[in-house]
Amino acid sequence: MTFIKRLFSIISVLVIITSCEETIPDSDLNEYKTIMDVRLGHLGNAIIMQGRLLDAFNLSNERSDEDHFKEAEELVKGHIEAFGRPDDLRNLKIPNSRKLQEVHKSLIEASELLISATNALEDNAWLAGSVSFAERNLDLARFNFQNAVKIVYDIKDTDEVKPVVEHKEYEVGE
């Protein structure tokens, strides 16, 4: 009986320890901010601009042939490039905190998703097809970005980041 009580106590302590949220040391957080601060600004700009391009395309796919639409696509690509391509981000020397490693992996994924979204919009603009794949990738990138910003800048907002939504399928110009 005492063995079972001790076993239960040990298991309880282990569960409590593993369920506690890991805190990131301030020195690691500040080092990560130094590396990623400007980059995160570029990622935020790319997400906003890509969302606006998708909205404009959904209103009328003919807009994709306009010069300012093409210029905006180049600006998005520039922001993604300034944020960092996935290989560049993987090669950055970031602090060894497990939580920061997870945040960084989600930002690498955001870069991959935005590149895919940009390519999908560009391809579908020529083919006059659906951009739901691009919208989904943009939503996932936004979700990763917002969660990372909450952690990196230690934002004490109790609201959860809105989850990724599934966009309805529709024909262009509907």
Side-chain angles (χ1 to χ4, degrees):
M1 190 68 165
T2 59
F3 174 73
I4 294 174
K5 285 183 180 178
R6 284 189 179 181
L7 182 62
F8 180 72
S9 298
I10 291 171
I11 291 173
S12 298
V13 168
L14 289 174
V15 167
I16 290 171
I17 289 172
T18 57
S19 67
C20 293
E21 188 174 324
E22 177 188 351
T23 58
I24 303 169
D26 286 340
S27 61
D28 287 353
L29 202 54
N30 289 333
E31 183 180 343
Y32 191 73
K33 283 181 195 174
T34 301
I35 296 168
M36 295 299 291
D37 189 48
V38 172
R39 290 175 182 263
L40 287 171
H42 286 291
L43 178 59
N45 286 335
I47 289 170
I48 290 167
M49 291 180 75
Q50 185 70 19
R52 290 181 179 164
L53 282 174
L54 286 166
D55 288 344
F57 181 81
N58 284 332
L59 288 174
S60 170
N61 67 336
E62 293 166 1
R63 292 179 182 195
S64 62
D65 288 332
E66 297 173 4
D67 287 340
H68 62 274
F69 192 94
K70 292 174 184 174
E71 289 171 16
E73 284 181 321
E74 293 305 315
L75 286 173
V76 170
K77 287 179 185 177
H79 282 299
I80 294 170
E81 197 70 36
F83 170 66
R85 299 187 87 43
D87 290 342
D88 298 334
L89 294 170
R90 283 186 191 93
N91 292 331
L92 289 176
K93 300 270 188 215
I94 62 169
N96 203 19
S97 165
R98 185 181 62 79
K99 184 89 171 175
L100 275 179
Q101 294 283 333
E102 290 172 13
V103 167
H104 195 68
K105 283 180 186 174
S106 77
L107 291 172
I108 291 170
E109 181 185 19
S111 177
E112 292 168 344
L113 290 165
L114 270 177
I115 291 168
S116 293
T118 303
N119 292 338
L121 176 59
E122 200 169 275
D123 292 345
N124 285 321
W126 287 103
L127 301 173
S130 171
V131 292
S132 60
F133 177 76
E135 290 171 329
R136 184 177 178 285
N137 282 357
L138 179 65
D139 274 350
L140 286 168
R142 176 199 51 82
F143 183 78
N144 288 1
F145 170 74
Q146 288 178 326
N147 281 323
V149 166
K150 280 183 96 167
I151 292 168
V152 170
Y153 295 100
D154 197 25
I155 298 172
K156 302 291 187 207
D157 186 6
T158 57
D159 294 340
E160 297 265 330
V161 176
K162 287 186 200 176
V164 176
V165 296
E166 292 297 324
H167 296 277
K168 83 171 199 170
E169 285 288 328
Y170 51 86
E171 293 297 319
V172 176
E174 244 183 37

